[in-house]
Amino acid sequence: QVQLVESGGGSVQAGGSLRLSCTASGPMYSTYSMGWFRQAPGKDREGFAAIDSDGTVSYADSVKGRFTITKDNAKNKLSLQMDGLEPEHTAMYYCAEGRRIYCAGGFCYRSEETYWGEGTQVTVSS
């Protein structure tokens, strides 16, 4: 069973930055993709950043130029640098690993087989 543990969430003022991390353990699927999703209160969970097994990255339009996803394969660690945070970015942020996670046409998608972390809360105040 793949296990994903997120860290780095917290509270920040508008315009600030946060860096999230996700450490993966368990079976490693070299061809799987990883990504970041978020869920705000009363809203559906949505993906916004993905990185493929070959290092190809893709983003939802809502975060392009503001968030950066990276992966350290040697450490089995996924990271997300978030700059220029705004109150609308307040949500629970989840790390995900799946057979296919990608963003296209401004939105992100995932395969049915997706593993999730427990999430880390990000709160941005105005």
Side-chain angles (χ1 to χ4, degrees):
Q1 180 82 15
V2 173
Q3 292 184 325
L4 304 169
V5 180
E6 302 95 336
S7 61
S11 297
V12 64
Q13 289 193 324
S17 299
L18 280 175
R19 186 175 182 85
L20 305 184
S21 295
C22 170
T23 301
S25 61
M28 294 294 131
Y29 300 104
S30 61
T31 61
Y32 275 30
S33 308
M34 296 190 77
W36 288 97
F37 291 69
R38 63 189 175 196
Q39 187 167 17
K43 294 189 176 181
D44 292 335
R45 190 174 299 188
E46 62 172 3
F48 59 88
I51 185 164
D52 215 339
S53 57
D54 65 358
T56 300
V57 301
S58 56
Y59 300 93
D61 285 349
S62 60
V63 304
K64 275 183 182 177
R66 191 177 297 209
F67 292 4
T68 304
I69 186 172
T70 56
K71 186 181 176 188
D72 185 333
N73 289 320
K75 297 181 179 179
N76 294 326
K77 183 177 177 181
L78 183 73
S79 298
L80 180 72
Q81 178 66 37
M82 303 188 293
D83 298 317
L85 286 163
E86 298 295 339
E88 57 263 33
H89 296 132
T90 294
M92 185 70 80
Y93 282 68
Y94 297 91
C95 171
E97 181 173 0
R99 190 176 296 275
R100 190 82 170 96
I101 300 173
Y102 68 100
C103 306
F107 299 94
C108 298
Y109 307 89
R110 64 174 181 87
S111 58
E112 187 171 329
E113 182 187 0
T114 300
Y115 300 96
W116 300 97
E118 293 293 318
T120 185
Q121 178 68 37
V122 171
T123 302
V124 185
S125 58
S126 58

